[in-house]
Amino acid sequence: MSKIGLRKELAGFDADQLRQIILKAYDSSAEAKAYFEFFLNPDVEAFVEERNDAINKELRRGKYGRCKARISEIRRQIKMAVNYGLPPEAVAKVMLNAITLLYSLEQYLRFPDTLINGTQKLVGDYIVYCNRYEMAAQAMCDINALLDREELGSRYFRKLLRQAAVNAVEQCSRLQA
């Protein structure tokens, strides 16, 4: 069902029926329960910490020196921060934390091509997202400061991420023109 169709259906319910639907959703789905709990008592810092912990846990998946992390799970955690309506600064913080963890872990574990490509895309998405909320200058400073730390990440990975950042800045400038 589309959002418009759902809106039409909900328009026909009275307040008591809507309460019953919300309570059933709360009882039947862990995701709905988490959303309602955050909606009723929003603690942005705790939520950001939970997302960062989930990303860190995902990145700790590995075997025989190979990283088994799924970029889709990392993106899911970031999307959750966006969907819960966190302020753009908090979402950017989750994205930068994910990039930092990926960058620092890459020198210790072998990353599959999917994770390397996903990290490049994440860097670009971070800059584009920050540009949308007029935080692009800070985003570039953060990325450059991270990539200037040579004790983290390999030279090859650093070069890929710098190129992804440059491509994202070019994309942002084309969109603004």
Side-chain angles (χ1 to χ4, degrees), residues 48 60-61 68 83 90-91 98 100 103 113 129-130 173:
V48 167
R60 298 292 173 217
R61 295 177 72 231
K68 299 283 188 177
N83 290 343
V91 175
T100 303
Y103 180 61
D113 290 342
Y129 180 84
C130 288
S173 64

Side-chain angles (χ1 to χ4, degrees), residues 105-163:
L105 198 60
E106 184 268 341
Q107 72 179 1
Y108 299 109
L109 296 173
R110 288 184 313 227
F111 277 19
D113 290 342
T114 307
L115 196 56
I116 292 171
N117 296 337
T119 306
Q120 287 178 282
K121 184 160 175 28
L122 185 58
V123 168
D125 291 348
Y126 170 67
I127 293 170
V128 169
Y129 180 84
C130 288
N131 185 55
R132 188 177 315 136
Y133 293 101
E134 298 177 2
M135 301 182 299
Q138 181 62 41
M140 281 307 298
C141 288
D142 293 339
I143 291 294
N144 284 329
L146 176 65
L147 296 178
D148 286 342
R149 295 180 60 191
E150 293 187 10
E151 72 274 7
L152 302 176
S154 67
R155 194 174 328 151
Y156 171 72
F157 199 55
R158 187 176 313 115
K159 180 181 173 187
L160 290 177
L161 298 186
R162 272 198 208 282
Q163 189 58 47

Side-chain angles (χ1 to χ4, degrees), residues 80-94:
M80 189 182 294
V82 172
N83 290 343
Y84 274 47
L86 265 59
E89 297 82 17
V91 175
K93 191 175 180 181
V94 172

Side-chain angles (χ1 to χ4, degrees), residues 64-80:
Y64 304 121
R66 293 186 61 85
C67 186
K68 299 283 188 177
R70 301 163 294 186
I71 194 70
S72 60
E73 178 61 25
I74 295 168
R75 287 191 166 284
R76 191 178 77 75
Q77 296 298 326
I78 294 167
K79 187 175 181 186
M80 189 182 294

